[in-house]
């Protein structure tokens, strides 16, 4: 197929303009995609009078093709041909100037075709206009008005549990917005389906995880062809160790189906599975489900012998829990009415939930709590934290009725996590100014901080993310120069609690950018660890690593059924130097045939909050963009821990939060300067707190820099949310953003970058925001208010301001591995549509 927008050449002679097409000739070159010619020669005859005919030659093509072809086509002067020569020369030179904006890869476009396209926003389709009901808010002597605060339902807690209770006027507005989005993006519906089918084609439908050993069995998840949700299965230990199970082999005869999540999801509009854990006895299976998207989970217990549920049913829980060693007790976290983790309870099987024993209550609304197990499964852990301060309590797993033992009382700014080895406690902590953390050791009999001794000293620039212990060995998950690594040591612990490490080595990988995840199983008495490696160009590979022999056993390679050749893609790691001297990494992925001459469209992704780092991992979904000539870039901005903990705290939070947005904009400018893309050809995308990033960056940027902005469930109403103590995450997140209620300085600073507050009368890119009605993390009214205000203040005529709300889902969107791809394909189609309308792509039929 050749997609060509062409017009007829013409000249003006007096008051008479007559134009006729005589002949158009297409010359196809050897383009690698076979879709676009290297150049097109158009011969257009123009009759300017009864006796005079002028032949105009228009040449369209790549700069490379023109440089070699143009000299042969340039007309030569002839006697009596002055008008012809002059006319042909003018048209030829103009065409050549235009052609320098063309690309000889998919995604090429001409200035002429861009200018002739219809507006992105059809003028005959009226936008929804939200009613304005100004409400005054006063704090620190300020008074401000919010015209769209009515979108927050006063009974939002009840709406989380039952979406049908949403106030009628709010529902009507959200449904109008959804209808408008559907109408505006109707031209992309076929493209959405095409992209979704591409994404499904890259999924191995009968995919199985690598079994994890535990006692007599090996447990794993498995998907059957066509199923949205997984099966939870097990085989015998002998079948796994004996090689009866393998990635490409049929399931062994010992295979047992323990739980079919598809059956649980039947007759639900939303279904999310939380924790799934077999009991230490291997006779019971506990699992948590959410059918509203509100993240209020219900825990059920299944008798594996009979296949029936026990009468025990635990409601209003978070999705995580642990078994005690004797398989008679479950410890779980219960949520309060504001959706905060408030209590740890112990449930004895066979009793009613109201009879459960309260193990721990968190008195500070600003702290999250959770329950877990140490790697040895010897202790149950109760962890409390608020992003910068933490404390841990231990309960013997074989004596779950024992009162929790506090390891060290919380100290502001001090974080720690623990593992046990023999009679010693290993502590990962930032104590004593260890910004990138260190490992300390203490006797279990005297675990307080006064007894902690350095084991792995602090090394600036080497961030220790986590520690893992198996019998006789110690593993550190680290991040150095924005890349992950695993450091393995032999570990000895004496009966007095002394610990020594020796035979340390690093597991190496030869990639410029990659992701590495340690995936430990249930067994402590083993000499092997399991990790998963991938890169932006390379699918996941799962390895078992024998520590004594240092041998890697490849257990599984991610398959892409529709085909994937890693050599067709290029991945590079670039670094941009910011105005204040920070060096921000950028991971860049593109197709090998995409020409980096400043004309390629580019999607820039970022997050930059809570210390979360962005892995350079493999993704099958982003290939639908990259295969169409879109460059995909990740900016590892401050606010994450990509370049050490200091990259987050203090450099990317509270009163230095603007570094996050400045880094992102610096990355965008760098990508333009280095010709990975061009100004106006960049779209940006962020999710949740990443939505705050792109919203703030949009307000701060030159209006011509971005083509489009996508905020998925975006945290954009930062100031109002941080002033509303009834919301689930407000008190716990004051250490992240600052407390604008108590501090005028924090109020002023948050207001100065908050995406909602900083919208002003100016042109904006095309903007798409998504929301989930039952989202407890970023409430639906944040993106709804943002789009309503954006639509009110933007001064450009054709820009899109779109809001799509899922009326039956929460923060994670749709559930199910195929249904989730509907959301992803919708967003990608929007991006391609706006790339096309703004001139970075030739058509939507790609």
């Amino acid at each position: 197929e050749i997609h060509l927008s062409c017009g007829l050449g013409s000249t003006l002679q007096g008051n008479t303009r007559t134009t006729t097409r005589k002949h158009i000739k297409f010359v196809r070159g050897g383009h690698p995609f076979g879709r676009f010619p290297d150049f097109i020669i158009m011969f257009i005859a123009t009759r300017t009078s009864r006796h005079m005919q002028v032949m105009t030659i228009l040449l369209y093509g790549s700069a490379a093709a023109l440089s070699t072809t143009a000299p042969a086509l340039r007309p030569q002067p002839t006697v009596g041909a002055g008008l012809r020569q002059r006319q042909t020369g003018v048209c030829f030179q103009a065409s050549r100037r235009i052609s320098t904006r063309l690309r000889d890869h998919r995604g090429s476009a001409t200035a002429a075709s861009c200018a002739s396209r219809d507006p992105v926003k059809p003028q005959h389709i009226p936008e929804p206009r939200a009613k304005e009901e100004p409400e005054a808010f006063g704090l620190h002597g300020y008074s401000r008005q919010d015209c769209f605060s009515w979108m927050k339902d006063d009974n939002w807690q009840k709406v989380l549990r039952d979406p049908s209770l949403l106030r009628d006027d709010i529902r009507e507005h959200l449904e109008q917005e959804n209808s408008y989005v559907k109408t505006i993006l109707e031209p992309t519906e076929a493209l959405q389906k095409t992209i979704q089918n591409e994404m499904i084609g890259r999924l191995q439908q009968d995919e199985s995880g690598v079994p994890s050993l535990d006692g007599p069995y090996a447990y794993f998840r498995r998907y059957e062809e066509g199923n949205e949700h997984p099966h939870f299965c097990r085989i015998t230990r002998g079948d796994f160790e004996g090689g009866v199970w393998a990635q490409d082999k049929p399931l062994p005869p010992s295979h047992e189906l323990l739980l079919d999540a598809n059956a649980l999801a039947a007759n639900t509009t939303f279904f999310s599975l939380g924790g799934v854990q077999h009991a230490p006895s291997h006779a019971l299976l506990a699992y948590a489900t959410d059918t509203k998207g509100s993240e209020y989970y219900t825990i059920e217990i299944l008798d594996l012998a009979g296949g029936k549920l026990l009468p025990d049913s635990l409601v209003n829980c978070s999705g995580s829990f642990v078994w005690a060693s004797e398989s008679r007790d479950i410890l779980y976290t219960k949520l309060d009415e504001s959706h905060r983790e408030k209590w740890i309870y112990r449930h004895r099987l066979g009793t009613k939930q109201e009879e459960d024993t309260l193990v721990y209550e968190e008195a500070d609304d600003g702290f999250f709590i959770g329950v877990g197990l140490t790697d040895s499964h010897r202790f149950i852990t109760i962890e409390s934290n608020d992003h910068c301060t933490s404390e841990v309590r231990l309960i013997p797993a074989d004596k779950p009725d024992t009162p929790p033992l506090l390891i060290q009382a919380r100290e502001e700014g001090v974080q720690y996590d623990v593992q046990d080895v023999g009679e010693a406690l290993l502590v990962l902590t930032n104590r004593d100014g260890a910004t990138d953390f260190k490992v300390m050791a203490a006797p279990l009999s005297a675990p307080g901080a006064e007894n902690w001794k350095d084991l792995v000293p602090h090394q600036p620039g080497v961030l220790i993310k986590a520690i893992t212990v198996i019998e006789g060995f110690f593993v550190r998950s680290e991040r150095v120069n924005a890349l992950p690594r695993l450091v393995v040591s032999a570990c000895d612990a004496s009966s007095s609690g002394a610990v020594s490490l020796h035979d340390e080595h690093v597991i190496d990988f030869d990639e410029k950018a990659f992701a590495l995840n340690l995936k430990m199983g249930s067994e402590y008495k083993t000499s092997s660890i399991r990790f998963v490696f991938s890169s932006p160009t390379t699918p996941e590979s799962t390895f078992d690593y024998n520590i004594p022999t240092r041998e890697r056993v490849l257990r599984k390679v991610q398959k892409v059924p529709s085909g994937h050749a890693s050599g067709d893609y290029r991945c590079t790691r670039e670094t941009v130097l910011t105005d204040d001297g920070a060096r921000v990494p950028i991971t860049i992925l593109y197709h090998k045939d995409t020409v980096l001459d400043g004309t390629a469209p580019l999607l820039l992704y970022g997050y930059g909050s809570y210390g979360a780092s962005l892995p350079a991992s493999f993704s099958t979904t982003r290939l639908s963009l990259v295969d169409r000539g879109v460059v995909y870039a990740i900016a590892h901005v401050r606010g994450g821990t990509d370049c050490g903990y200091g990259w987050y705290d203090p450099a990317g939070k509270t009163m230095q939060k603007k570094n996050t947005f400045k880094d992102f904009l610096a990355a965008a400018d760098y990508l333009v300067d280095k010709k990975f893309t061009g100004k106006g050809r960049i779209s940006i995308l962020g999710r949740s707190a990443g939505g705050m990033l792109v919203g703030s960056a949009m307000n701060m940027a030159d209006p011509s820099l971005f083509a489009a902005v996508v905020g998925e469930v975006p945290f954009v109403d930062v100031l109002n949310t941080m002033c509303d103590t009834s919301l689930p995450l407000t008190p716990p997140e004051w250490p992240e953003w600052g407390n604008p209620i108590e501090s005028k300085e924090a109020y002023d600073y948050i207001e100065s970058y908050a995406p909602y507050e900083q919208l002003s009368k100016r042109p904006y890119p095309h903007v798409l925001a998504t929301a989930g009605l039952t989202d407890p993390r970023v409430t639906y009214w944040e993106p709804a208010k943002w789009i309503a205000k954006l639509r009110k203040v933007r001064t450009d005529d054709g820009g899109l301001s779109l809001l799509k709300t899922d009326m039956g889902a929460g923060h994670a969107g749709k559930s199910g591995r195929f249904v989730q791809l509907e959301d992803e394909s919708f967003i990608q189609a929007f991006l391609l549509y706006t790339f096309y309308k703004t001139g970075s792509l030739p058509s939507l039929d790609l």
Side-chain angles (χ1 to χ4, degrees), residues 362-382:
E362 178 54 61
D364 190 338
D365 286 343
F367 271 66
F368 303 97
I369 60 172
V371 62
L373 287 168
T374 59
D375 291 338
S376 69
H377 288 203
R378 182 179 172 186
F379 293 101
I380 296 168
T381 62
I382 295 175

Side-chain angles (χ1 to χ4, degrees), residues 4 20 38 122 170 180 183 224 336 394 431 516 615 624 669 721 824:
L4 175 67
T20 56
D38 277 347
I170 301 173
Y180 179 67
T183 300
E224 296 290 342
D336 67 9
L394 297 181
R431 194 176 184 82
L516 183 62
S624 288
D669 290 338
T721 294
E824 184 66 26

Side-chain angles (χ1 to χ4, degrees), residues 14 37 111 174 195 213 228 235 245 381 415 436 456 505 542 565 573-574 641 695 712 733 747 752 767 810 818:
L174 297 179
I195 293 173
L213 290 168
E228 292 279 1
I235 58 175
W245 181 94
T381 62
Q415 301 178 59
D436 286 321
V456 179
H505 65 278
T542 303
R573 174 65 65 88
E574 301 282 326
T641 53
E712 296 186 69
E733 296 203 349
Y747 182 101
S752 72
V767 178
F818 300 129

Side-chain angles (χ1 to χ4, degrees), residues 550-794:
R550 304 189 183 185
E551 178 187 7
R552 303 183 192 188
V553 177
L554 180 61
R555 293 293 188 182
K556 178 185 175 182
V557 176
Q558 179 184 0
K559 292 185 176 181
V560 183
S562 60
H564 174 76
S566 296
D568 287 344
Y569 303 91
R570 300 289 181 264
C571 176
T572 184
R573 174 65 65 88
E574 301 282 326
T575 302
V576 56
L577 184 66
T578 66
D579 290 340
D580 63 346
R583 300 180 65 84
V584 179
I586 312 172
T587 302
I588 305 169
L589 174 69
Y590 55 96
H591 196 278
K592 68 177 183 179
D593 293 312
T594 298
V595 176
L596 303 179
D597 61 358
T599 58
L602 182 143
L603 178 61
L604 180 61
Y605 177 78
Y607 188 75
S609 291
Y610 308 115
S613 56
L614 295 180
S617 57
F618 182 73
S619 167
T620 58
T621 56
R622 67 174 67 125
L623 295 179
S624 288
L625 292 174
V626 176
D627 284 349
R628 287 171 168 82
V630 177
V631 179
Y632 185 92
I634 301 171
H636 302 272
V637 296
R638 282 175 283 187
T641 53
D642 305 72
C643 299
Y645 198 82
W647 202 242
Y648 162 58
D649 187 4
K653 62 184 293 191
T654 55
M655 301 305 291
Q656 296 191 51
K657 189 62 202 173
K658 287 184 183 178
N659 286 337
T660 303
F661 321 132
K662 293 175 181 178
D663 289 356
F664 196 71
L665 292 173
D669 290 338
Y670 178 90
L671 292 165
V672 171
D673 291 343
K674 297 301 181 181
K675 296 190 179 301
F676 287 98
T677 187
K679 195 172 184 180
R681 296 176 181 270
I682 306 176
S683 290
I684 57 177
L685 185 150
R687 193 173 202 285
S688 193
M692 177 198 62
L693 166 61
V694 298
S696 296
M698 176 183 76
N699 288 333
M700 295 169 65
D702 182 320
S704 64
L705 180 60
F706 299 132
V709 176
V710 177
E712 296 186 69
V713 289
F715 179 38
V716 286
D717 198 12
V718 186
L719 183 61
N720 287 312
T721 294
M722 287 296 102
C723 289
D724 188 345
T725 58
S726 72
L727 296 176
L729 297 181
T730 294
E733 296 203 349
W734 283 330
E736 182 76 18
W737 318 108
N739 185 342
I741 300 174
E742 298 293 333
S743 168
K744 179 180 180 297
E745 184 183 23
Y747 182 101
D748 291 340
Y749 190 74
I750 293 173
E751 185 181 38
S752 72
Y753 69 74
Y756 181 66
E757 268 69 31
Q758 290 304 310
L759 288 171
S760 61
K761 290 188 178 298
R762 51 164 278 184
Y764 281 101
H766 305 296
V767 178
L768 168 66
T770 66
L773 183 59
T774 57
D775 186 348
R777 299 172 185 258
V778 177
T779 48
Y780 71 85
W781 59 83
E782 290 203 32
K785 289 170 56 180
W786 186 48
I787 292 299
K789 184 176 180 180
L790 173 65
R791 196 174 283 145
K792 175 185 176 182
V793 301
R794 67 185 309 154

